[in-house]
Amino acid sequence: MNKVTLKELAKVLNMSVSTVSKALNDSHEISDATKKIVKKFAQERNYQPNPLAKYLKLGRSNSIGVILPSIGNPFHSQIIENLHNYASQHNFNLIIMQSKDSEEIETKAIKALLNQGIDGIIISPAHETSNIELLKKIHESTCPVIIFDRINYDLDTYKIGVNNFQSGFNATEELIKGGRKKIVILCGKNIGVTKQRLAGYEEALKRNSIEVNQNYIVYCNYNNSFEEFDNDLKEKIAYLMQDRATAPNAIFGTTDTLTTRVLGILADLEIQVPAELAVIGFANTEIANSLNPALSTIRQPTAEIASLSIEMLIKLIANKKNRSQIDFQEFKLDSSIQLRKSTDLSS
Amino acid sequence: MNKVTLKELAKVLNMSVSTVSKALNDSHEISDATKKIVKKFAQERNYQPNPLAKYLKLGRSNSIGVILPSIGNPFHSQIIENLHNYASQHNFNLIIMQSKDSEEIETKAIKALLNQGIDGIIISPAHETSNIELLKKIHESTCPVIIFDRINYDLDTYKIGVNNFQSGFNATEELIKGGRKKIVILCGKNIGVTKQRLAGYEEALKRNSIEVNQNYIVYCNYNNSFEEFDNDLKEKIAYLMQDRATAPNAIFGTTDTLTTRVLGILADLEIQVPAELAVIGFANTEIANSLNPALSTIRQPTAEIASLSIEMLIKLIANKKNRSQIDFQEFKLDSSIQLRKSTDLSS
DNA sequence: TTGTAGGCGTTATCAG
DNA sequence: CTGATAACGCCTACAA
């Protein structure tokens, strides 16, 4: 209700506002004695500086906007958790927005963030060209932008993602090493990330002299409800399995959702994992270990992605000079593989 | 870089700042002609009002702070997602903080939020008395506080949670209906939420003339690493199962983590679900359906919890008058049960 | 209908 | 070492 202000403190203490302000900010031009008195009194009165006034004066709000497709999935919630940790280490706050993979919602999110006076944006864009003009304008004028995860995006800035080609390659090779050659790859939205994982998959096949079977490249529709999605995927797998001669013996899932869902579907279809079908896939969820069978996963280094994103953004925020001069880098981090029962072909 | 301000617009337009401000805010005291000119020019120059200045003037920041134990788990990320939706409908932003169940971290989070100038707080406290004095002071003076989920907390405000007693009762009865009487209950932190779910469990047993077996009430330690946690739980279950005469035939998990993890552990122990042990538990994850066997769950109504929290908080923010006069309510929402294979005892 | 002036709470500059 | 004063960008009485 009745907030204590500098002015009030000054009045009661019989000092000027500026003296009080300086004392509280530990200015060297204030005597220790005065500082002590002021600080003690401020504490007594439970004085809290008004952040808005401070930020107005300073021209910064010490908050960072984050836009990602959706908060719900494990990869993103890990990203958020880590962004949080690093941001707060630097005394920055996070304001999170989701785009739901829609350019329109993304536009709103960007505007809402600007409207909130954030100092910078960290974004995984809705798609490869979504809001590109808007982001470009913002980045070049008011507010620096950093891109993560979906880094195939034509904006000249720091980009932080994983080496999707290599990850796809490694996962596929792991299956081949186990003796599986008929490998289905499950793909989500046909965006850069997916394309590169797919390219890695194809390269691994090629290196092992296995021909790419187009029927094994399965795209799944995310826009439907969970049920429709499940039924769609189930149908596709059932169809592939029906002909003994061409039935696959392994599955590689390129997204969290695809990878975890497919296990349930295989159970429903009473397909043995890994005996009939080995399964590996991208997934950052802790649940991988609790699935039955335990799921082999490719894990993205969310902590590193987050720490680099924050670090680079803060660099840009601090460095007010012309951003067009900077030599921006693209970081492609390595993912790691956890092998569990779903690819255990030893027996 | 160079933000356009009202002052600059006014200068170029040869008008006063106030005219421009009023025109942009559609004040009735400005002629349509002037409004048109001003608005057009503002758009041309891509004028964006400085939110910090505005908020300083208006005394509000239009942002809400949220504190919860951890962002990572499905229940909380659903809560966040929903809070988000409702908040943005009211033009409020969300600033999220996690307490990691630590009072100390929670204290920091609260202070960081105040320091950011938020208009209100929505919190699920670290424990039943954490930061109680601080929150009380804040709530009664500067900034209204709403409590959700862990609502056994001695603060006079709106509280939004689920009917944990009833939920525990229903889950247990479901198992009993299926013919299972030797039911283990897995409990996490011994806080109000857990206690009530346990009380519901005990009441269901009592009503069905089943004696409570203290050995079936299993507490798990969350503070350890995932591995230790798994091993701990595994050991406890293995121990209970070893004596044929007293071995349980059902498990009720009182938290998301416990419920999903236990399936993996049972698979490891090669215990058949539901044949040997039926499993049901609290869980808000979409993955329940992909688990093997598909997991029967008690689902908390995250959308309702979120919408009520936002609604009540905004009410308090708008209503600046003395909060000590308000007749605060406690909302206890119903959870819902999804029965899947892990409790399917029909065969 | 438009303009002037004051203030929101803070920090920064400069003078005393 | 301390104090007066201006400024950050916006809004809003009140005066013209």
Side-chain angles (χ1 to χ4, degrees):
Chain A
M1 240 80 237
N2 44 352
K3 289 219 187 182
V4 189
T5 69
L6 272 188
K7 209 193 267 177
E8 286 164 41
L9 293 185
K11 199 156 136 200
V12 181
L13 286 169
N14 251 324
M15 301 182 192
S16 77
V17 173
S18 59
T19 306
V20 177
S21 168
K22 283 174 192 163
L24 290 174
N25 288 317
D26 255 335
S27 164
H28 57 271
E29 39 180 319
I30 300 289
S31 72
D32 284 349
T34 313
K35 279 185 193 172
K36 215 166 184 172
I37 298 173
V38 172
K39 284 184 179 171
K40 192 180 158 216
F41 187 64
Q43 187 138 34
E44 250 170 45
R45 289 297 182 95
N46 191 30
Y47 166 73
Q48 298 287 111
N50 181 325
L52 298 172
K54 186 156 116 188
Y55 293 148
L56 169 61
K57 178 70 188 170
L58 266 39
R60 296 183 309 111
S61 69
N62 265 67
S63 60
I64 292 174
V66 178
I67 303 176
L68 32 70
S70 88
I71 296 172
N73 82 55
F75 173 66
H76 287 138
S77 55
Q78 278 183 33
I79 289 279
I80 294 175
E81 190 157 345
N82 284 296
L83 283 174
H84 236 284
N85 294 341
Y86 296 109
S88 56
Q89 277 173 28
H90 295 270
N91 276 312
F92 272 84
N93 278 97
L94 240 46
I95 301 184
I96 291 151
M97 297 278 162
Q98 39 188 350
S99 68
K100 296 285 177 190
D101 281 329
S102 141
E103 177 159 8
E104 204 189 326
I105 302 179
E106 190 180 67
T107 313
K108 277 190 201 158
I110 296 170
K111 293 198 169 151
L113 285 177
L114 292 177
N115 224 28
Q116 190 65 16
I118 44 116
D119 299 331
I121 291 180
I122 296 176
I123 184 171
S124 171
H127 62 256
E128 286 173 43
T129 57
S130 63
N131 287 300
I132 196 153
E133 286 309 322
L134 179 55
L135 284 175
K136 212 170 244 170
K137 197 162 79 182
I138 294 170
H139 179 61
E140 281 162 7
S141 58
T142 343
C143 159
V145 177
I146 294 272
I147 296 182
F148 81 97
D149 192 34
R150 298 177 176 177
I151 59 180
N152 289 69
Y153 191 92
D154 185 24
L155 180 68
D156 199 25
T157 184
Y158 291 107
K159 296 173 188 174
I160 294 106
V162 304
N163 194 331
N164 289 301
F165 177 87
Q166 190 64 43
S167 305
F169 182 89
N170 293 346
T172 311
E173 268 230 323
E174 207 57 57
L175 294 169
I176 298 173
K177 264 196 254 167
R180 302 291 165 107
K181 297 189 169 183
K182 297 193 277 185
I183 305 172
V184 164
I185 180 168
L186 301 178
C187 303
K189 289 182 58 175
N190 188 21
I191 53 176
V193 172
T194 306
K195 283 180 193 159
Q196 286 161 14
R197 291 174 190 178
L198 179 59
Y201 159 88
E202 289 178 338
E203 179 66 18
L205 294 182
K206 199 172 143 193
R207 291 253 189 105
N208 289 278
S209 316
I210 302 171
E211 214 169 315
V212 175
N213 180 340
Q214 291 299 328
N215 295 324
Y216 287 170
I217 303 176
V218 174
Y219 282 90
C220 302
N221 194 344
Y222 267 81
N223 296 326
N224 304 328
S225 71
F226 274 112
E227 282 209 346
E228 283 175 292
F229 171 87
D230 263 18
N231 289 334
D232 179 47
L233 185 51
K234 194 182 209 164
E235 225 168 77
K236 282 172 176 160
I237 290 173
Y239 176 77
L240 284 169
M241 294 301 285
Q242 80 192 0
D243 181 356
R244 282 227 140 200
T246 60
N249 51 22
I251 292 190
F252 166 34
T254 60
T255 76
D256 265 63
T257 316
L258 287 166
T259 310
T260 46
R261 296 239 135 203
V262 81
L263 272 194
I265 288 167
L266 295 178
D268 255 20
L269 294 171
E270 301 194 341
I271 294 169
Q272 298 299 317
V273 178
E276 285 180 78
L277 270 174
V279 177
I280 194 170
F282 278 84
N284 267 60
T285 174
E286 291 297 341
I287 273 179
N289 212 14
S290 308
L291 290 165
N292 181 14
L295 183 63
S296 296
T297 54
I298 298 121
R299 210 185 164 87
Q300 305 194 58
T302 46
E304 277 179 84
I305 294 175
S307 96
L308 267 173
S309 301
I310 294 286
E311 201 182 305
M312 292 300 120
L313 184 58
I314 288 182
K315 193 168 141 184
L316 291 184
I317 291 172
N319 187 347
K320 292 253 179 201
K321 74 183 175 195
N322 204 333
R323 277 192 282 282
S324 58
Q325 313 286 353
I326 300 179
D327 183 27
F328 291 110
Q329 299 168 59
E330 187 169 305
F331 297 89
K332 288 200 173 184
L333 308 176
D334 287 330
S335 58
S336 61
I337 292 193
Q338 268 89 34
L339 296 178
R340 301 198 183 85
K341 280 195 188 158
S342 70
T343 51
D344 183 1
L345 303 169
S346 57
S347 58
Chain B
M1 240 79 235
N2 42 352
K3 289 220 187 181
V4 191
T5 69
L6 271 189
K7 208 194 266 177
E8 285 164 42
L9 293 185
K11 198 156 141 201
V12 182
L13 285 170
N14 251 321
M15 302 181 191
S16 78
V17 173
S18 65
T19 307
V20 178
S21 168
K22 284 174 190 164
L24 291 174
N25 288 319
D26 257 334
S27 162
H28 57 274
E29 40 180 312
I30 299 289
S31 72
D32 284 351
T34 313
K35 278 185 192 169
K36 218 168 184 173
I37 298 173
V38 172
K39 282 184 179 170
K40 193 179 154 214
F41 187 66
Q43 186 138 33
E44 252 170 44
R45 289 296 182 93
N46 192 30
Y47 167 73
Q48 299 285 110
N50 181 325
L52 298 171
K54 190 156 107 188
Y55 294 147
L56 169 60
K57 179 68 190 173
L58 300 177
R60 296 185 308 113
S61 69
N62 265 68
S63 60
I64 292 173
V66 178
I67 303 176
L68 32 70
S70 90
I71 296 172
N73 81 52
F75 173 66
H76 288 137
S77 54
Q78 278 182 34
I79 289 281
I80 294 175
E81 190 158 344
N82 284 296
L83 284 174
H84 236 283
N85 294 341
Y86 296 109
S88 56
Q89 277 173 29
H90 295 271
N91 278 311
F92 272 85
N93 279 99
L94 240 48
I95 300 182
I96 292 150
M97 296 277 163
Q98 38 188 351
S99 68
K100 296 283 176 192
D101 281 328
S102 142
E103 177 158 7
E104 203 188 330
I105 301 180
E106 190 179 68
T107 313
K108 277 190 200 158
I110 296 170
K111 294 200 168 151
L113 286 177
L114 293 177
N115 223 27
Q116 190 65 16
I118 43 117
D119 299 330
I121 291 181
I122 295 176
I123 184 172
S124 171
H127 62 256
E128 287 173 42
T129 56
S130 64
N131 286 298
I132 196 151
E133 287 309 323
L134 180 55
L135 284 175
K136 212 170 242 169
K137 198 162 75 182
I138 293 170
H139 179 62
E140 282 162 7
S141 58
T142 343
C143 159
V145 177
I146 293 274
I147 296 182
F148 80 97
D149 192 36
R150 298 178 176 177
I151 58 179
N152 290 69
Y153 191 90
D154 185 24
L155 181 68
D156 198 23
T157 184
Y158 291 108
K159 297 175 188 174
I160 295 108
V162 303
N163 194 330
N164 289 302
F165 178 85
Q166 189 64 43
S167 304
F169 182 88
N170 293 346
T172 310
E173 268 230 324
E174 207 58 56
L175 294 168
I176 297 173
K177 265 196 255 169
R180 302 291 164 106
K181 298 187 167 183
K182 297 192 277 185
I183 305 172
V184 164
I185 180 167
L186 302 178
C187 303
K189 289 183 58 175
N190 188 20
I191 53 177
V193 172
T194 305
K195 282 180 194 160
Q196 286 162 12
R197 291 174 188 178
L198 178 59
Y201 158 89
E202 289 178 338
E203 178 65 18
L205 294 182
K206 197 172 145 194
R207 292 253 189 107
N208 288 277
S209 316
I210 304 171
E211 215 169 313
V212 174
N213 179 341
Q214 292 298 330
N215 294 325
Y216 287 170
I217 303 175
V218 174
Y219 283 89
C220 302
N221 193 345
Y222 267 80
N223 297 327
N224 304 328
S225 70
F226 275 110
E227 282 209 346
E228 282 176 294
F229 171 87
D230 264 16
N231 289 335
D232 179 46
L233 185 52
K234 194 181 210 161
E235 223 169 79
K236 283 172 175 160
I237 291 173
Y239 176 77
L240 284 169
M241 294 300 286
Q242 82 193 357
D243 181 356
R244 281 228 142 198
T246 60
N249 50 23
I251 291 190
F252 167 34
T254 60
T255 77
D256 266 64
T257 315
L258 286 167
T259 309
T260 47
R261 296 241 134 202
V262 81
L263 272 193
I265 288 167
L266 295 178
D268 255 20
L269 293 172
E270 302 194 341
I271 294 170
Q272 298 300 315
V273 178
E276 284 180 78
L277 269 175
V279 177
I280 195 169
F282 278 83
N284 267 57
T285 174
E286 290 299 337
I287 274 178
N289 211 14
S290 308
L291 289 165
N292 183 11
L295 183 62
S296 296
T297 54
I298 297 122
R299 209 183 165 87
Q300 306 194 58
T302 46
E304 277 178 84
I305 295 174
S307 97
L308 268 173
S309 302
I310 294 285
E311 202 182 306
M312 292 302 119
L313 183 57
I314 288 182
K315 193 168 141 184
L316 291 183
I317 292 173
N319 190 345
K320 293 254 177 199
K321 73 183 178 193
N322 205 333
R323 275 192 282 282
S324 59
Q325 312 287 351
I326 300 179
D327 181 28
F328 292 109
Q329 299 168 58
E330 187 170 304
F331 297 89
K332 288 201 174 182
L333 308 176
D334 286 331
S335 58
S336 60
I337 292 194
Q338 268 88 34
L339 296 177
R340 301 198 184 85
K341 281 195 188 158
S342 69
T343 51
D344 182 2
L345 303 168
S346 56
S347 59

